[in-house]
Amino acid sequence: MNSVGEACTELKREYDQCFNRWFAEKFLKGESTGDPCGQLFKRYQLCVQKAIKEKDIPIEGLEFMGPSKGKTENSS
């Protein structure tokens, strides 16, 4: 699957490969320390955020983009 921004598709592919390799070769074998794909993810995330701004895609209320400022949690 391509990324939201055409320029981000290669970064997405690199991150997906890194994550899948880490998940299969390390995490599933009980080795969950470290973050070998963190820098790739950050680069991909920045690219996606830029593409969203350039395409003027409304993202208000979408929590996956980061914590909402001023959001209060109801504990019932």
Side-chain angles (χ1 to χ4, degrees), residues 4 51-62 64-65:
V4 67
I52 286 171
K53 286 179 184 176
E54 288 173 354
K55 292 182 179 201
D56 201 26
I57 299 172
I59 59 169
E60 292 79 29
L62 297 179
F64 72 89
M65 294 300 292

Side-chain angles (χ1 to χ4, degrees), residues 31-70:
E31 300 175 40
S32 60
T33 58
D35 186 10
C37 307
Q39 289 300 317
L40 278 173
F41 179 74
K42 286 178 185 178
R43 288 176 43 216
Y44 174 57
Q45 184 181 36
L46 289 172
C47 187
V48 167
Q49 289 171 347
K50 181 180 175 188
I52 286 171
K53 286 179 184 176
E54 288 173 354
K55 292 182 179 201
D56 201 26
I57 299 172
I59 59 169
E60 292 79 29
L62 297 179
E63 293 182 30
F64 72 89
M65 294 300 292
S68 300
K69 293 179 182 173

Side-chain angles (χ1 to χ4, degrees), residues 7-52:
C8 305
T9 298
E10 182 62 23
L11 284 171
K12 179 185 184 308
R13 186 188 64 75
E14 289 177 30
Y15 171 72
D16 286 347
Q17 285 180 342
C18 181
F19 177 84
N20 290 334
R21 187 172 39 253
W22 168 81
F23 188 78
E25 296 175 6
K26 302 288 185 182
F27 184 79
L28 291 178
K29 295 178 181 176
E31 300 175 40
S32 60
T33 58
D35 186 10
C37 307
Q39 289 300 317
L40 278 173
F41 179 74
K42 286 178 185 178
R43 288 176 43 216
Y44 174 57
Q45 184 181 36
L46 289 172
C47 187
V48 167
Q49 289 171 347
K50 181 180 175 188
I52 286 171

